[in-house]
Amino acid sequence: MRTPHSTYRFQITPEFTLWDAARLVPYLSRLGVDWVYLSPVLQAEEGSQHGYDVTDHSRIDESRGGAEGLQALSDAAHEAGLGVLVDIVPNHVGVATPSANPWWWDLLTHGQGSRYAEAFDVDWDAGGGRIRIPVLGDDSLDALRIEPDGPGGASVLAYYDHLYPIAPGTADDGADARTVHDRQHYELMNWRRESAELNYRRFFAVSSLAAIRVEEPWVFDESHAEIGRWFRDGLVDGLRVDHPDGLADPGGYIERLSELTGGAYILIEKILEGDEPLEPDWPSAGTTGYDALAGIDRVFVDPSGEPGLTRLAASLGQSPADLPRGDEGDDATGDPDSTEGIDDAHSYARHAWHTLIHGTKRGIADGILRAEVLRLARDIDRAGGLPTPTESSVLADALAELLACFPVYRSYLPNGREQLEHALALARDNRPDLDAVLVETAEVLGRRGTAPSIRFQQTSGMVMAKGVEDTAFYRFTRLTSLTEVGADPDQFSLDPAAFHALQRRRLDTTPDSMTTLSTHDTKRSEDTRARISVLSEIPDGWSGSLAKLRSLLPLGDGSFENLLWQSLLGAWPLSRERAQAYALKAVREAGVSTNWLDPDEAFEERMSQAVDAVFTDPIARGVLESQLAAIRAAGWSNSLSAKLVQLTTTGVPDVYQGTELWDLSLVDPDNRRPVDFDERGELLGIQEAGELPGIDETGAAKLLVVSTALHVRRDRPELFTGYQGLVARGSAADHVLAFDRGGAVTIATRLPLGLARHGGWDDTTLELPESGSGYVDAFTGRIFADREMRLAAVLERYPVALLERIDER
């Protein structure tokens, strides 16, 4: 199996096609990249900016370059010695435009008689033999009409711009549109009914993404025929699998995929919670790197800032509600106002976080994913029910509680049974009134291979994702760089020793797993988070700035205000349009002062005016920019350090498009903006001419770190075969993170404001591993012959160094 030394992720869109990516291969080669990494390329919804809404598995999206574009990209990459990694989407398909998806169109036309009825996961009984489509507005079916010249020239039912097929023989008698609709295998219903009444499995709460059943052999074969061709024709070298946790049998799917690709390099998008391991028996190289991201971020967070930022969050209303505490115990609540201690602040925050996510997950299970919970209850009834006859509403209550208490995204029975037992114990503590029902329900869910068991495992990840990443992350705001995909926000920081232990474990278990700092799904880009993390060094300073902003621009939602102003500080300067778009999405995701289903127009208008004010009011803008001036340089230091660590630690590093320069992005779609590759190429040319950049707004220093580290990894892989943490000595030893990969030594500054207050590196030294001829700094070219080196010397120009062992020739 060919394994990459590094990857570079392109977002392929109708505006940036496979042909554009092919033309950039020479730039990637100059940058030091080993593999090109592509977002999904199969035919998707027209105008899709992400490609995760595949409508036709049989062909490559023409608007993204088509088959010829992939061939051109593959040829260019392979001729340059680069591999090709492609993102695929096995869990669901796009159905927003029914006529664009042949499988879905046939299903709607023929219902249970369709060949593709087996491909989709529809509960026909729940819909009275019809599939429910949540598309209608408040006008109900009044706007429905028969359109005589639809796709393929056949008559269709039309609801505004939405077109739906008419089953053969159901419109021959001149019936009106309503009557014809009542004869179809689908029911168009009001969009507000989807949360509780939808009867097909989907991707999370997105009803325009219908799940398919790749566990059926013919469904796998037909949906993966084009993917198999890529490997037979030598076009592609590896795959990234999107959301395998939604599948009925993720492990079985990965095994079939490995067979199809001839044992190729396969990564899976998997969120691991805490110390949760990746399933060891799957033929996968590892995850897409969110687990690595969490550890790298936290080693650059100052633990001494936890009490202050926790007190601030509590003062803004982010304290534990009178809800079940979970399994932390009666002494785990803490009191941020009574102590300066880190332990007590951490205990308090842990309690607050676990209380919060229980509530948000339960809210999701009772709200936008209610349909999934009710279907689970019907599956249990169809499987014989519980031993004790139970009302459906009580069973649904028990299921929702178990989902809210489930501690990881999902289990893979028989593996992970302890997670179900954990959820049961916690649910019984929370809901003693449901004790007997919970026990019987958990026993049914633990029966491997049954419909209820399979569906519960598919559903738990949906509840986790929507309840935690898309809700709680917008409410738990003490330090927003910590609320990132794959991370536990109650874990505030990591010391170097703990970080080293994590890297050694990764080397032992998944050495070829991906590492990342930014993706198309991260809530904030790596440089935005790196800047925000500096606030952990000045909690009182941030508390003062936030108080001024809240006084000038009050919103009445302290927790959200903390998130809003931290995020804008992290991304500043940015356009007013970007700031407004982020604020609206963030506040609706939080779901406290307004939400997606029932927006509070008055609050949103007040918020919009507050965002405008930091662009128009010199006082408000001055507060934000004064705070920025205090942390900008430290943010740059954090960015360079985190990037070097990510590029050189254990695993395969990915560079998300454009992040070789500073990238101050927020949540999607902000993180999918076009990239100026001409600018990057020009700056790389200056670097190639031998000019060392300064650390400034251009980001050229980051480009130096990225390109140099990528070249060393690609050109000298023998230097990256191990991992050993290095310990500095001296008064500033806590401010360095250093490790040896087997001949390549990474040295990175941490907590730069504290280092400056200390007066610099002073007497601090680092002892290098034995090397007969010494080391050369790959950034500056300086040679260090002595094993004991003064950090003031090696970090004189940049806050980072990458030392290559000089081998005797």
Side-chain angles (χ1 to χ4, degrees):
M1 176 180 70
R2 182 180 179 183
T3 301
H5 298 301
S6 65
T7 63
Y8 189 101
R9 167 81 175 209
F10 280 133
Q11 291 297 112
I12 304 299
T13 69
E15 294 74 33
F16 182 85
T17 69
L18 290 161
W19 293 99
D20 296 310
R23 284 189 285 270
L24 284 169
V25 165
Y27 166 73
L28 296 188
S29 185
R30 290 168 55 205
L31 191 64
V33 171
D34 193 38
W35 280 30
V36 185
Y37 173 20
L38 307 176
S39 63
V41 297
L42 291 175
Q43 185 64 48
E45 288 278 357
E46 183 177 356
S48 173
Q49 292 297 301
H50 48 76
Y52 290 97
D53 45 2
V54 173
T55 57
D56 188 344
H57 291 99
S58 68
R59 57 195 175 100
I60 297 171
D61 195 318
E62 291 297 333
S63 70
R64 289 172 166 76
E68 296 82 4
L70 181 61
Q71 184 71 60
L73 181 280
S74 177
D75 289 345
H78 290 151
E79 287 172 8
L82 277 63
V84 178
L85 179 71
V86 180
D87 198 344
I88 63 170
V89 191
N91 179 71
H92 53 267
V93 294
V95 297
T97 309
S99 61
N101 188 318
W103 291 19
W104 187 252
W105 189 259
D106 194 85
L107 180 77
L108 297 185
T109 303
H110 301 290
Q112 296 178 71
S114 168
R115 176 175 183 267
Y116 298 101
E118 190 179 32
F120 292 95
D121 196 351
V122 182
D123 188 346
W124 295 100
D125 291 342
R130 305 171 78 187
I131 185 169
R132 292 169 172 165
I133 311 297
V135 70
L136 299 181
D138 293 335
D139 57 1
S140 187
L141 292 171
D142 294 342
L144 194 65
R145 69 188 190 279
I146 296 176
E147 186 69 43
D149 191 19
S155 294
V156 295
L157 280 176
Y159 179 73
Y160 296 103
D161 294 334
H162 301 279
L163 304 180
Y164 300 93
I166 295 176
T170 60
D172 298 338
D173 57 358
D176 62 18
R178 279 177 174 265
T179 301
V180 171
H181 167 263
D182 292 342
R183 297 169 177 172
Q184 302 311 306
H185 299 287
Y186 54 86
E187 174 194 356
L188 304 183
M189 69 178 185
N190 187 279
W191 66 274
R192 291 183 180 275
R193 294 171 55 192
E194 69 177 338
S195 295
E197 298 181 43
L198 200 74
N199 65 333
Y200 62 89
R201 188 166 60 87
R202 53 188 164 160
F203 172 71
F204 294 167
V206 185
S207 298
S208 60
L209 297 175
I212 60 173
R213 303 177 66 243
V214 292
E215 65 270 22
E216 294 296 331
W218 74 265
V219 176
F220 178 96
D221 292 341
E222 294 192 18
S223 62
H224 288 67
E226 171 65 8
I227 295 168
R229 182 186 72 83
W230 300 345
F231 288 88
R232 291 193 303 274
D233 293 352
L235 297 173
V236 171
D237 304 287
L239 296 174
R240 181 257 198 199
V241 180
D242 181 68
H243 190 49
D245 275 354
L247 305 179
D249 180 12
Y253 170 80
I254 299 298
E255 289 177 2
R256 285 213 63 189
L257 192 64
S258 181
E259 294 171 2
L260 179 72
T261 62
Y265 180 77
I266 295 175
L267 294 171
I268 61 171
E269 184 202 28
K270 170 65 185 173
I271 307 299
L272 298 171
E273 293 292 320
D275 295 330
E276 179 190 7
L278 187 66
E279 291 297 300
D281 297 332
W282 293 358
S284 163
T287 73
T288 52
Y290 291 119
D291 44 326
L293 178 156
I296 295 170
D297 274 1
R298 277 156 180 73
V299 80
F300 296 104
V301 171
D302 189 348
S304 69
E306 185 169 16
L309 291 176
T310 303
R311 283 195 302 273
L312 174 61
S315 74
L316 298 172
Q318 200 174 91
S319 57
D322 187 19
L323 288 172
R325 282 196 296 271
D327 59 352
E328 288 76 48
D330 291 339
D331 59 348
T333 59
D335 184 349
D337 295 317
S338 67
T339 179
E340 295 291 327
I342 291 175
D343 289 344
D344 213 49
H346 179 71
S347 179
Y348 174 90
R350 177 173 172 78
H351 169 58
W353 172 245
H354 284 274
T355 298
L356 172 64
I357 63 172
H358 176 275
T360 55
K361 290 171 67 178
R362 183 64 205 243
I364 293 297
D366 290 336
I368 60 174
L369 293 181
R370 177 70 171 171
E372 280 68 22
V373 174
L374 294 177
R375 184 168 182 185
L376 257 173
R378 292 193 298 270
D379 280 346
I380 290 176
D381 286 341
R382 284 189 283 253
L386 301 183
T388 303
T390 306
E391 292 183 6
S392 59
S393 61
V394 176
L395 176 56
D397 192 5
L399 285 165
E401 187 63 27
L402 288 167
L403 287 165
C405 295
F406 208 76
V408 296
Y409 271 69
R410 67 165 287 168
S411 58
Y412 310 92
L413 293 177
N415 296 344
R417 183 174 296 276
E418 70 279 4
Q419 309 294 0
L420 181 59
E421 294 170 355
H422 173 100
L424 174 61
L426 187 54
R428 294 177 73 184
D429 285 344
N430 293 344
R431 296 292 304 277
D433 57 312
L434 290 176
D435 190 83
V437 179
L438 287 165
V439 171
E440 291 184 0
T441 302
E443 195 280 326
V444 170
L445 297 177
R447 297 172 187 167
R448 180 187 181 193
T450 63
S453 171
I454 292 170
R455 192 166 306 283
F456 184 86
Q457 292 178 94
Q458 291 175 294
T459 305
S460 60
M462 301 166 69
V463 173
M464 177 75 85
K466 296 305 297 180
V468 177
E469 293 174 26
D470 292 346
T471 306
F473 275 9
Y474 292 89
R475 298 187 190 179
F476 195 80
T477 63
R478 61 173 177 164
L479 187 64
T480 58
S481 57
L482 303 181
T483 49
E484 192 48 83
V485 180
D488 286 325
D490 66 319
Q491 182 185 40
F492 193 81
S493 62
L494 277 180
D495 62 31
F499 177 82
H500 294 320
L502 283 176
Q503 306 317 301
R504 287 193 295 271
R505 189 178 76 175
R506 286 174 58 85
L507 183 64
D508 291 340
T509 57
T510 53
D512 297 323
S513 188
M514 182 175 278
T515 69
T516 190
L517 287 181
S518 296
T519 76
H520 62 288
D521 275 339
T522 42
K523 303 300 183 184
R524 297 165 191 83
S525 66
E526 57 202 60
D527 299 320
T528 301
R529 297 197 311 276
R531 181 187 287 178
I532 292 172
S533 288
V534 180
L535 299 180
S536 68
E537 298 196 66
I538 52 166
D540 292 340
W542 172 244
S543 181
S545 295
L546 180 62
K548 292 176 184 177
L549 287 166
R550 295 189 69 210
S551 175
L552 291 167
L553 308 169
L555 293 179
D557 184 342
S559 181
F560 173 71
E561 290 167 84
N562 199 15
L563 175 141
L564 175 64
W565 301 124
Q566 281 190 38
S567 297
L568 295 192
L569 175 68
W572 198 267
L574 75 168
S575 70
R576 188 182 310 192
E577 292 74 22
R578 288 177 57 205
Q580 289 283 10
Y582 172 76
L584 184 60
K585 178 171 181 174
V587 75
R588 287 184 175 178
E589 294 280 53
V592 174
S593 293
T594 185
N595 58 66
W596 291 107
L597 296 181
D598 295 295
D600 184 325
E601 295 181 3
F603 180 88
E604 291 183 0
E605 176 59 28
R606 193 163 67 250
M607 180 192 69
S608 178
Q609 292 174 0
V611 172
D612 275 346
V614 295
F615 292 89
T616 60
D617 181 343
I619 297 177
R621 182 172 184 144
V623 172
L624 196 68
E625 293 188 340
S626 176
Q627 181 67 86
L628 175 58
I631 66 172
R632 179 191 284 112
W636 287 339
S637 176
N638 278 353
S639 286
L640 297 178
S641 291
K643 197 62 186 176
L644 178 61
V645 169
Q646 183 244 335
L647 293 171
T648 57
T649 191
T650 57
V652 175
D654 176 56
V655 177
Y656 182 67
Q657 62 175 27
T659 59
E660 60 268 39
L661 296 184
W662 304 137
D663 181 74
L664 300 174
S665 294
L666 297 167
V667 73
D668 68 278
D670 195 61
N671 56 16
R672 302 173 189 179
R673 289 170 291 132
V675 175
D676 187 343
F677 286 104
D678 290 339
E679 176 190 21
R680 285 155 177 77
E682 291 172 6
L683 288 173
L684 185 58
I686 294 172
Q687 177 184 306
E688 290 168 336
E691 183 176 328
L692 288 179
I695 304 176
D696 56 25
E697 290 85 354
T698 67
K702 188 180 182 187
L703 181 64
L704 173 69
V705 168
V706 171
S707 61
T708 302
L710 289 177
H711 274 285
V712 175
R713 287 212 69 154
R714 188 178 71 185
D715 300 340
R716 301 195 68 187
E718 73 279 4
L719 301 183
F720 295 88
T721 57
Y723 187 95
Q724 179 61 50
L726 303 179
V727 180
R729 292 194 293 268
S731 57
D734 288 343
H735 293 277
V736 65
L737 177 72
F739 52 83
D740 172 34
R741 289 301 317 281
V745 175
T746 288
I747 304 173
T749 300
R750 59 189 298 267
L751 316 183
L753 289 185
L755 178 64
R757 289 194 293 266
H758 174 76
W761 292 110
D762 193 25
D763 61 342
T764 309
T765 62
L766 184 71
E767 184 174 334
L768 299 176
E770 181 66 44
S771 173
S773 301
Y775 290 84
V776 59
D777 183 355
F779 301 137
T780 65
R782 291 183 62 186
I783 294 176
F784 298 90
D786 297 333
R787 287 189 65 190
E788 183 112 3
M789 58 189 309
R790 293 179 58 250
L791 288 179
V794 73
L795 299 178
E796 180 180 20
R797 187 176 186 108
Y798 298 116
V800 292
L802 177 57
L803 307 183
E804 293 182 75
R805 184 184 64 218
I806 300 174
D807 292 332
E808 297 181 0
R809 301 296 181 184

